[in-house]
Amino acid sequence: MRFVDEFRNADQAHALSAKIAGLCEPGRHYKFMEVCGGHTHTIYKHGLEDYLPESVELVHGPGCPVCVIPMGRVDDAMHLAANPAVIMTSFGDMMRVPGSNGSFFDAKAQGTDIRMVYSPLDSLKIARQNPDKRVVFMAIGFETTAPSTAMTVLRAAAEGLENFSIFCNHVTIVPAIKAILDSPDLRLDGFIGPGHVSTVIGCRPYEFIARDYGKPVVVAGFEPLDILQSIYMLMLQLSEGRSAVENQYTRVVPWDGNLVALKAIGETMELRPYFEWRGLGFISHSALRMRADYARFDAELLFDVPGVRVADPKACQCGEVLKGVLKPWECKVFGTACTPETPIGTCMVSPEGACAAYYNFGRLSRKRVKEVSNS
Amino acid sequence: MCLGIPGEVIEFLPDQPDLARVDVSGVRRVINVGLLSDDPPKPGEWVLIHVGFALSKIDEDEAAAALEFLEGIGQAYEEELMALQESMIE
């Protein structure tokens, strides 16, 4: 496992750390957002903040698909699931997300037919096996999972399956990044671009960030050294006065993305005029719905969905955490009323949520210790 | 859900060119490789799997690194692997 050791090599990490420190201008504070929840997980798990100079700060972005689902959509899904004709199917990550009246797990415990699946193709199989039931798949995720939903719908169409539909909550990452760039709350110096999403969409969609906002973007892998290397690449661009989109994760991410996946999405889904994101509010053209040609697979059209907007619990500050304005531990209920066992907000539910990642791994990091000693 | 799990392609299913049997940490499961139809993987090659679909081809070194990374994150990977084990798409 030499290669793996190479990734983990502490010497390399320290060397990168020194190179990053060498590029820091005295008196300047650098703020980079890692958009993807997978990166947040790596950063806390490996204590990467401890490898960075004090003046380099990482803020956590909105790239956790479970975290950004607003409570109203959870309630809509619960309403769908309560229909006795329906078998609701969902990824495991979604099962514990609280709606106004509990989570999928709670409803399941009370006898509602909600089944956890690994793949939308598992839902399709459940539909084939239960012709007298109507099987709904709770579709969530960014462009990483949208192609899977699209391919599953195409398959259902090819098979002529009539008892299968999608409750589509797929979101797109670029409008969320734009909303953050346009928000007055936060001044960022650059972005660590999402790895897996970029496998699908490629690197081109980020070019406006470099061109129109003058911020560098580096698409990064998930190993600790990938992230340190990406921060170094960001710092190098800043020190040279450049802003460009660069790809650190060329091992996996092609510059143009996966064209088959993009075609499948484009064939079956279209952009919604707007969609509500938890914490970020309504964002134009930021989510997907089924195209009219595939309306027979759209649970929102097949069933009566309340579509009521529900405000987040008052105590919960997931919105501020998702925007990067608050650190997880700055939330009033972090680690006290809100824990991974009894989450109040979505950021504590998913292992990719900033709060859960921080709760599980980050509590002893340098910055936290400093915060506590200063308070 | 967002974890990319590396798997080694073992064989394609007869009459179903979109489906392949892969080996993931010793567990053999059928996944969909339709998203790689531009450049399909061959048996012995590695792919990164997301929710039952191969999303990209990777080399063996990257697969080893990704696997090591996943094993390091513990519970979330175990849950994902258990879900994959229960997945029966064919």
Side-chain angles (χ1 to χ4, degrees):
Chain A
M1 298 289 257
R2 184 190 58 81
F3 186 75
V4 172
D5 292 340
E6 228 167 72
F7 267 128
R8 293 290 156 71
N9 191 312
D11 289 346
Q12 283 194 42
H14 286 297
L16 275 169
S17 168
K19 277 159 83 178
I20 292 167
L23 289 174
C24 288
E25 282 173 38
R28 179 166 177 187
H29 187 79
Y30 300 86
K31 235 180 205 185
F32 300 122
M33 174 174 277
E34 90 275 0
V35 175
C36 171
H39 287 151
T40 306
H41 195 102
T42 301
I43 288 163
Y44 282 142
K45 167 85 180 147
H46 294 278
L48 290 188
E49 287 179 320
D50 293 346
Y51 284 87
L52 298 175
E54 297 268 333
S55 59
V56 177
E57 183 187 352
L58 297 178
V59 293
H60 319 300
C64 159
V66 170
C67 303
V68 299
I69 299 289
M71 199 173 243
R73 294 295 284 186
V74 180
D75 289 357
D76 287 347
M78 298 283 270
H79 182 84
L80 280 171
N83 183 331
V86 165
I87 299 175
M88 177 58 83
T89 56
S90 163
F91 291 139
D93 297 31
M94 197 64 217
M95 295 294 288
R96 280 187 302 133
V97 175
S100 304
N101 297 301
S103 65
F104 274 169
F105 265 137
D106 299 330
K108 189 176 168 66
Q110 287 156 21
T112 308
D113 196 346
I114 301 177
R115 304 186 191 179
M116 212 160 89
V117 293
Y118 168 69
S119 168
L121 291 171
D122 291 313
S123 302
L124 201 63
K125 191 171 184 189
I126 293 171
R128 282 189 214 112
Q129 291 168 336
N130 295 274
D132 54 333
K133 289 280 194 173
R134 301 170 77 184
V135 175
V136 179
F137 176 64
M138 172 83 184
I140 59 162
F142 288 90
E143 289 92 335
T144 322
T145 51
S148 309
T149 304
M151 294 290 273
T152 304
V153 168
L154 289 171
R155 185 147 189 154
E159 290 180 21
L161 216 56
E162 286 177 355
N163 65 329
F164 174 76
S165 61
I166 303 289
F167 182 49
C168 191
N169 295 284
H170 284 299
V171 282
T172 57
I173 193 69
V174 166
I177 296 178
K178 188 165 186 307
I180 286 167
L181 281 165
D182 289 336
S183 148
D185 296 346
L186 194 61
R187 190 196 60 82
L188 292 168
D189 295 282
F191 290 88
I192 300 172
H196 293 322
V197 163
S198 306
T199 307
V200 174
I201 67 174
C203 300
R204 288 187 200 283
Y206 310 117
E207 282 172 347
F208 79 96
I209 303 172
R211 189 186 56 231
D212 302 341
Y213 292 85
K215 314 278 186 200
V217 179
V218 176
V219 172
F222 293 89
E223 289 287 332
L225 282 183
D226 286 333
I227 291 177
L228 288 176
Q229 174 74 26
S230 303
I231 294 167
Y232 171 66
M233 288 165 75
L234 287 168
M235 292 293 293
L236 200 60
Q237 286 198 38
L238 290 176
S239 72
E240 292 169 354
R242 291 187 298 126
S243 64
V245 180
E246 293 176 338
N247 185 5
Q248 185 273 335
Y249 199 29
T250 51
R251 313 193 299 277
V252 174
V253 172
W255 188 261
D256 290 319
N258 182 325
L259 299 180
V260 180
L262 291 171
K263 190 162 165 257
I265 297 173
E267 163 83 24
T268 54
M269 299 177 206
E270 63 185 7
L271 284 173
R272 292 173 191 266
Y274 54 85
F275 192 73
E276 189 192 0
W277 292 54
R278 190 174 289 231
L280 300 174
F282 289 92
I283 305 177
S284 299
H285 302 114
S286 65
L288 298 164
R289 66 180 176 200
M290 304 310 297
R291 272 191 191 282
D293 289 350
Y294 293 87
R296 64 190 185 283
F297 299 106
D298 188 345
E300 273 175 89
L301 300 175
L302 296 175
F303 299 91
D304 171 36
V305 177
V308 176
R309 190 173 178 274
V310 182
D312 285 331
K314 275 209 172 64
C316 172
Q317 293 180 292
C318 277
E320 305 310 301
V321 173
L322 284 167
K323 279 191 284 190
V325 176
L326 277 192
K327 300 284 182 184
W329 65 87
E330 291 169 335
C331 173
K332 290 191 285 286
V333 290
F334 175 84
T336 51
C338 186
T339 65
E341 288 72 38
T342 55
I344 293 177
T346 47
C347 298
M348 194 56 103
V349 176
S350 168
E352 287 155 37
C355 295
Y358 191 81
Y359 186 89
N360 289 326
F361 303 117
R363 279 173 292 181
L364 296 174
S365 79
R366 178 191 72 199
K367 289 198 168 118
R368 174 64 178 142
V369 169
K370 208 167 72 181
E371 281 263 330
V372 170
S373 59
N374 288 346
S375 63
Chain B
M1 178 191 71
C2 274
L3 301 177
I5 301 183
E8 184 182 4
V9 176
I10 304 298
E11 59 183 3
F12 287 88
L13 263 57
D15 309 324
Q16 299 197 71
D18 269 5
L19 300 183
R21 199 177 309 282
V22 295
D23 186 302
V24 179
S25 297
V27 178
R28 292 198 172 185
R29 275 292 165 262
V30 172
I31 60 155
N32 187 302
V33 290
L35 292 170
L36 301 179
S37 58
D38 274 355
D39 181 19
K42 297 174 198 62
E45 289 191 314
W46 289 79
V47 292
L48 213 48
I49 306 161
H50 290 263
V51 300
F53 287 80
L55 203 52
S56 47
K57 290 210 281 187
I58 51 176
D59 65 24
E60 198 174 345
D61 287 342
E62 175 65 20
L67 208 60
E68 169 94 347
F69 170 72
L70 289 168
E71 280 158 4
I73 68 172
Q75 196 193 347
Y77 177 57
E78 282 161 28
E79 283 171 8
E80 188 88 359
L81 209 55
M82 265 163 54
L84 174 67
Q85 285 183 20
E86 283 161 20
S87 169
M88 301 275 264
I89 62 168
E90 74 273 31

